[in-house]
Amino acid sequence: MRTRSQSRNSNRQQQQVPPTFVEPFNLVEPIENQAPPVVTMADNRTMAQLLEAPTEGYEDAIVVPEITADNFELKHGLLTLVQNKQFFGHDKEDPHAHIRYFNKITSTMKFPNVPSTSVKLMLFPFSLEGAARIWLEKEPPRSILTWDDLVSKFINKFFPPSKTTNLRNEITRFQQRFDETFYEAWDRFNDLLRACPHHGFSELHQLDTFYNALNSNDQDSLNSAAGVSLSSSTPGISPDVSELKDMVKALLLDKKNQSQAPAPVKAVEESYVTCGGAHSYRNCPTTDGNVYRDNIQEYVS
């Protein structure tokens, strides 16, 4: 006699049997003409095999074109040169400055029969560290095919549109500080422009913004400097300030031309209403005696 407990254990053991998959019989053909069903297991791998790490999917995101040049290799000194100034992906770092520095370094490297863009694609990962390196490693395999692709993804990642908006606002609202000299303000203003090279402001707009941000004393100094001839040189003035002086002069001239000019005054020909002749009163032959009064009355009537 089976107890209720034994019956439950028997049912539990039956439920723990792994499922099998059996191909159904073809009900159209006779059973004796059909092949025996094939029984397959869901997965016959062991638990240790299931927990093994995959060995595929480790290709780099950057695809470097095949280099056919003989005896080509990147020297250790080149890698060290690139790694001297790495980009970590911090908020205060400027990705545009990093690209400019990287282009400057790689432009000095010339390899026969090797495109410069291929060298850049090979070296750029060594210029990244920290969050920037993690970003590149998380990019899909073989998703970056050209140097332009790499620069575009790098800039968009570490210079999002929100950062562009903030820098544009800083440029627009720029003001000279209370204890800041003209030269310090000029350098700080140019730092903002370099930090956002795609700001979209014209040269005249940049100058107008900087000029209006200065205090009255520096504005007066620039007004005086703008009166100097462009061909003359002012002793002791830096090239940047000299260039600014020329730009200020262009600004002042442009503002002057944009101001509303007075309407031209048409020359008035002498005409005397008494007789209608083209002469003045004292030369009019009809002003003798009472003729003048009569002629006025006749003109009015």
Side-chain angles (χ1 to χ4, degrees), residues 184-209:
E184 293 171 345
W186 176 241
D187 289 339
R188 186 166 61 88
F189 185 71
N190 278 274
D191 288 341
L192 289 175
L193 296 177
R194 283 189 293 266
C196 187
H198 53 294
H199 49 70
F201 298 130
S202 65
E203 187 180 51
L204 185 60
H205 187 277
Q206 299 171 31
L207 178 60
D208 192 29
T209 301

Side-chain angles (χ1 to χ4, degrees), residues 36-271:
V38 179
V39 179
T40 59
M41 300 298 293
D43 198 332
N44 57 3
R45 289 181 297 173
T46 64
M47 182 60 67
Q49 291 174 334
L50 291 173
L51 295 177
E52 288 180 352
T55 58
E56 298 178 353
Y58 289 99
E59 293 182 295
D60 293 334
I62 300 176
V63 178
V64 180
E66 182 180 357
I67 297 176
T68 58
D70 297 333
N71 301 325
F72 170 76
E73 64 175 342
L74 292 177
K75 302 296 183 181
H76 180 72
L78 298 180
L79 300 179
T80 303
L81 186 62
V82 171
Q83 291 175 329
N84 283 338
K85 192 174 182 181
Q86 291 180 309
F87 185 86
F88 288 81
H90 299 157
D91 293 338
K92 297 298 182 180
E93 287 182 298
D94 184 2
H96 295 99
H98 182 71
I99 293 295
R100 286 193 296 265
Y101 173 80
F102 185 81
N103 282 330
K104 184 177 181 180
I105 293 298
T106 55
S107 64
T108 62
M109 307 173 187
K110 303 296 181 182
F111 301 94
N113 302 322
V114 179
S116 61
T117 54
S118 298
V119 177
K120 292 180 179 181
L121 290 173
M122 296 176 65
L123 285 175
F124 191 76
F126 297 96
S127 71
L128 305 180
E129 194 53 77
R133 177 178 287 276
I134 294 176
W135 158 76
L136 184 59
E137 293 175 349
K138 289 184 177 180
E139 285 295 298
R142 303 182 65 83
S143 61
I144 301 176
L145 305 179
T146 64
W147 171 246
D148 291 338
D149 290 343
L150 179 55
V151 172
S152 176
K153 290 188 176 183
F154 175 73
I155 294 297
N156 289 328
K157 171 61 179 179
F158 297 103
F159 207 106
S162 58
K163 191 171 183 178
T164 301
T165 302
N166 293 336
L167 279 175
R168 282 175 54 90
N169 291 337
E170 285 190 47
I171 295 172
T172 303
R173 298 193 299 261
F174 180 82
Q175 286 293 326
Q176 184 181 14
R177 295 168 180 167
F178 175 76
D179 57 346
E180 192 174 38
T181 65
F182 167 80
Y183 302 98
E184 293 171 345
W186 176 241
D187 289 339
R188 186 166 61 88
F189 185 71
N190 278 274
D191 288 341
L192 289 175
L193 296 177
R194 283 189 293 266
C196 187
H198 53 294
H199 49 70
F201 298 130
S202 65
E203 187 180 51
L204 185 60
H205 187 277
Q206 299 171 31
L207 178 60
D208 192 29
T209 301
F210 178 73
Y211 179 83
N212 292 326
L214 296 175
N215 57 48
S216 57
N217 292 334
D218 285 337
Q219 285 184 350
D220 293 340
S221 300
L222 282 178
N223 292 336
S224 301
V228 181
S229 174
L230 295 180
S231 59
S232 63
S233 59
T234 304
I237 193 169
S238 65
D240 287 343
V241 178
S242 179
E243 179 184 359
L244 177 63
K245 174 199 67 177
D246 297 341
M247 295 171 64
V248 168
K249 183 171 185 178
L251 171 66
L252 296 179
L253 292 176
D254 183 77
K255 286 183 176 295
K256 183 178 180 180
N257 294 333
Q258 290 180 358
S259 62
Q260 186 177 2
V265 180
K266 183 179 180 180
V268 180
E269 297 179 355
E270 290 189 4
S271 178

